[in-house]
Amino acid sequence: MERVHKCIDDSFDQYLSIIKSFLRQPSVSASGEGVRECAVLLSNIMNDCGITSKIFETAGHPVVYGELLSGKKDAKTVLFYGHYDVQPPEPLDLWDSPPFEPEIRQGKIFARGSADNKGQLIAHVLAVKALKETGTEIPCNVKFVFEGEEESGSTNLPNFVRENKELLFCDIVLPVDGS
Protein backbone atom coordinates (compact mmCIF):
# COMPACT_ATOMS: atom_id res chain seq x y z
CA MET A 1 0.00 0.00 0.00
CA GLU A 2 3.00 2.27 0.39
CA ARG A 3 3.27 2.53 -3.43
CA VAL A 4 -0.42 3.39 -3.66
CA HIS A 5 -0.13 6.11 -1.02
CA LYS A 6 2.94 7.53 -2.77
CA CYS A 7 1.06 7.51 -6.09
CA ILE A 8 -1.81 9.42 -4.50
CA ASP A 9 0.59 11.95 -2.95
CA ASP A 10 2.52 12.34 -6.22
CA SER A 11 -0.73 12.70 -8.22
CA PHE A 12 -2.46 14.96 -5.70
CA ASP A 13 -2.82 17.95 -8.04
CA GLN A 14 -4.10 15.77 -10.89
CA TYR A 15 -6.60 13.98 -8.61
CA LEU A 16 -7.75 17.29 -7.12
CA SER A 17 -8.31 18.64 -10.62
CA ILE A 18 -10.51 15.64 -11.44
CA ILE A 19 -12.47 16.09 -8.21
CA LYS A 20 -12.99 19.80 -8.88
CA SER A 21 -14.12 19.24 -12.47
CA PHE A 22 -16.67 16.70 -11.22
CA LEU A 23 -17.95 19.08 -8.51
CA ARG A 24 -18.21 21.96 -11.02
CA GLN A 25 -20.74 20.03 -13.08
CA PRO A 26 -24.25 20.73 -11.76
CA SER A 27 -26.40 17.61 -11.35
CA VAL A 28 -29.62 18.70 -9.65
CA SER A 29 -32.03 15.79 -9.96
CA ALA A 30 -35.10 17.79 -8.87
CA SER A 31 -34.80 20.15 -11.85
CA GLY A 32 -32.68 17.99 -14.15
CA GLU A 33 -30.04 20.72 -14.40
CA GLY A 34 -26.83 19.16 -15.70
CA VAL A 35 -27.70 15.59 -14.70
CA ARG A 36 -27.12 14.00 -18.12
CA GLU A 37 -23.90 15.97 -18.59
CA CYS A 38 -22.71 14.81 -15.17
CA ALA A 39 -23.45 11.17 -16.06
CA VAL A 40 -21.34 11.53 -19.21
CA LEU A 41 -18.54 13.25 -17.29
CA LEU A 42 -18.56 10.53 -14.62
CA SER A 43 -18.51 7.76 -17.22
CA ASN A 44 -15.56 9.43 -18.97
CA ILE A 45 -13.66 9.83 -15.68
CA MET A 46 -14.26 6.17 -14.86
CA ASN A 47 -13.03 5.07 -18.28
CA ASP A 48 -9.94 7.28 -17.89
CA CYS A 49 -9.29 5.57 -14.54
CA GLY A 50 -9.35 2.11 -16.13
CA ILE A 51 -12.91 1.26 -15.13
CA THR A 52 -15.10 0.06 -17.99
CA SER A 53 -18.26 2.14 -17.73
CA LYS A 54 -21.61 2.40 -19.41
CA ILE A 55 -24.54 4.79 -19.10
CA PHE A 56 -27.91 3.13 -18.71
CA GLU A 57 -31.01 5.08 -19.59
CA THR A 58 -33.97 4.89 -17.23
CA ALA A 59 -37.40 6.46 -17.29
CA GLY A 60 -35.73 9.34 -15.43
CA HIS A 61 -32.07 10.20 -15.00
CA PRO A 62 -29.31 7.82 -16.15
CA VAL A 63 -27.49 5.23 -14.07
CA VAL A 64 -23.72 5.03 -14.55
CA TYR A 65 -22.37 1.50 -14.22
CA GLY A 66 -18.72 0.54 -14.11
CA GLU A 67 -16.67 -2.56 -13.54
CA LEU A 68 -13.14 -3.77 -13.18
CA LEU A 69 -12.97 -7.56 -13.23
CA SER A 70 -10.01 -9.35 -11.69
CA GLY A 71 -9.99 -12.23 -14.16
CA LYS A 72 -9.90 -14.75 -11.33
CA LYS A 73 -12.57 -17.42 -11.68
CA ASP A 74 -13.50 -17.58 -7.99
CA ALA A 75 -13.01 -13.89 -7.16
CA LYS A 76 -15.54 -12.26 -4.88
CA THR A 77 -17.37 -9.21 -6.21
CA VAL A 78 -17.80 -5.90 -4.40
CA LEU A 79 -20.42 -3.48 -5.71
CA PHE A 80 -20.14 0.16 -4.68
CA TYR A 81 -23.36 2.17 -4.74
CA GLY A 82 -23.56 5.94 -4.75
CA HIS A 83 -25.25 8.88 -6.43
CA TYR A 84 -23.99 11.74 -8.54
CA ASP A 85 -27.05 13.94 -8.18
CA VAL A 86 -27.29 16.76 -5.67
CA GLN A 87 -29.87 18.89 -3.91
CA PRO A 88 -30.69 22.32 -5.36
CA PRO A 89 -28.16 24.92 -4.20
CA GLU A 90 -30.73 27.50 -3.16
CA PRO A 91 -30.80 29.71 -1.18
CA LEU A 92 -27.66 31.00 -2.88
CA ASP A 93 -27.10 33.81 -0.37
CA LEU A 94 -26.24 31.22 2.30
CA TRP A 95 -23.16 30.07 0.36
CA ASP A 96 -19.77 31.64 1.13
CA SER A 97 -18.67 30.78 -2.42
CA PRO A 98 -20.56 29.75 -5.58
CA PRO A 99 -22.03 26.24 -5.03
CA PHE A 100 -20.60 24.77 -8.24
CA GLU A 101 -17.18 26.39 -7.95
CA PRO A 102 -15.16 24.23 -5.55
CA GLU A 103 -13.18 26.18 -3.00
CA ILE A 104 -10.68 24.82 -0.50
CA ARG A 105 -10.93 26.36 2.96
CA GLN A 106 -9.02 25.02 5.96
CA GLY A 107 -8.14 21.86 4.05
CA LYS A 108 -11.73 21.02 3.05
CA ILE A 109 -13.45 21.31 -0.32
CA PHE A 110 -16.64 23.34 -0.29
CA ALA A 111 -19.06 22.83 -3.20
CA ARG A 112 -22.52 21.40 -3.72
CA GLY A 113 -22.12 17.62 -3.59
CA SER A 114 -18.65 17.57 -2.06
CA ALA A 115 -19.98 15.78 1.05
CA ASP A 116 -23.11 14.19 -0.44
CA ASN A 117 -22.20 12.22 -2.53
CA LYS A 118 -19.94 13.33 -5.35
CA GLY A 119 -16.86 13.67 -3.14
CA GLN A 120 -17.08 10.15 -1.70
CA LEU A 121 -18.04 8.62 -5.03
CA ILE A 122 -15.08 10.09 -6.91
CA ALA A 123 -12.71 9.13 -4.07
CA HIS A 124 -13.55 5.46 -4.67
CA VAL A 125 -13.05 5.83 -8.42
CA LEU A 126 -9.68 7.54 -7.87
CA ALA A 127 -8.65 4.81 -5.42
CA VAL A 128 -9.04 2.29 -8.24
CA LYS A 129 -7.00 4.60 -10.48
CA ALA A 130 -4.17 4.65 -7.92
CA LEU A 131 -4.26 0.85 -7.58
CA LYS A 132 -4.09 0.43 -11.35
CA GLU A 133 -1.36 3.05 -11.80
CA THR A 134 0.87 1.26 -9.31
CA GLY A 135 0.22 -2.18 -10.75
CA THR A 136 -1.31 -3.28 -7.46
CA GLU A 137 -3.38 -6.42 -7.86
CA ILE A 138 -7.04 -5.93 -7.08
CA PRO A 139 -8.03 -9.25 -5.48
CA CYS A 140 -11.72 -9.01 -6.29
CA ASN A 141 -14.10 -7.89 -8.97
CA VAL A 142 -15.20 -4.29 -8.48
CA LYS A 143 -18.50 -2.91 -9.73
CA PHE A 144 -19.98 0.56 -9.39
CA VAL A 145 -23.59 1.72 -9.64
CA PHE A 146 -24.07 5.47 -9.48
CA GLU A 147 -27.57 6.80 -9.87
CA GLY A 148 -28.80 10.27 -10.74
CA GLU A 149 -32.02 10.31 -8.72
CA GLU A 150 -31.17 9.56 -5.09
CA GLU A 151 -31.85 13.13 -3.98
CA SER A 152 -35.31 12.95 -5.56
CA GLY A 153 -36.34 9.52 -4.28
CA SER A 154 -34.51 6.92 -6.42
CA THR A 155 -37.72 6.45 -8.37
CA ASN A 156 -36.22 4.43 -11.22
CA LEU A 157 -33.50 2.52 -9.37
CA PRO A 158 -35.72 -0.48 -8.42
CA ASN A 159 -36.58 -1.11 -12.09
CA PHE A 160 -32.92 -0.76 -13.08
CA VAL A 161 -31.92 -3.34 -10.46
CA ARG A 162 -34.69 -5.75 -11.50
CA GLU A 163 -33.73 -5.44 -15.18
CA ASN A 164 -29.99 -5.91 -14.50
CA LYS A 165 -29.80 -8.60 -11.82
CA GLU A 166 -27.10 -10.60 -13.58
CA LEU A 167 -24.96 -7.54 -14.28
CA LEU A 168 -25.26 -6.43 -10.66
CA PHE A 169 -24.54 -9.84 -9.15
CA CYS A 170 -22.13 -9.41 -6.25
CA ASP A 171 -21.09 -10.78 -2.88
CA ILE A 172 -21.41 -7.50 -1.02
CA VAL A 173 -22.75 -4.00 -1.64
CA LEU A 174 -20.99 -1.04 -0.05
CA PRO A 175 -22.64 2.36 -0.11
CA VAL A 176 -20.18 5.21 -0.69
CA ASP A 177 -22.63 7.76 0.72
CA GLY A 178 -21.42 9.04 4.07
CA SER A 179 -18.32 10.09 5.93
Side-chain angles (χ1 to χ4, degrees), residues 15-36:
Y15 287 16
L16 184 59
S17 177
I18 294 168
I19 293 166
K20 285 182 171 181
S21 72
F22 188 49
L23 292 171
R24 276 188 195 98
Q25 175 57 57
S27 54
V28 182
S29 59
S31 67
E33 178 191 2
V35 176
R36 171 156 308 285

Side-chain angles (χ1 to χ4, degrees), residues 120-133:
Q120 299 92 323
L121 174 162
I122 204 69
H124 285 78
V125 170
L126 291 174
V128 169
K129 178 178 177 62
L131 289 167
K132 287 190 64 70
E133 286 181 347

Side-chain angles (χ1 to χ4, degrees), residues 1 4 7-8 15 45-52 66-70 78 80 120-144 146 176:
M1 289 307 293
V4 175
C7 175
I8 293 168
Y15 287 16
I45 291 170
M46 291 170 72
N47 283 322
D48 290 345
C49 291
I51 301 166
T52 303
E67 66 182 21
L68 180 63
L69 304 179
S70 72
V78 178
F80 293 97
Q120 299 92 323
L121 174 162
I122 204 69
H124 285 78
V125 170
L126 291 174
V128 169
K129 178 178 177 62
L131 289 167
K132 287 190 64 70
E133 286 181 347
T134 58
T136 303
E137 180 183 4
I138 301 173
C140 61
N141 298 316
V142 180
K143 296 180 179 182
F144 298 92
F146 299 135
V176 300

Side-chain angles (χ1 to χ4, degrees), residues 65 79 143-145 160-161 164-170:
Y65 171 83
L79 186 145
K143 296 180 179 182
F144 298 92
V145 172
F160 173 78
V161 171
N164 294 283
K165 283 182 183 179
E166 285 185 33
L167 182 69
L168 301 176
F169 174 82
C170 62

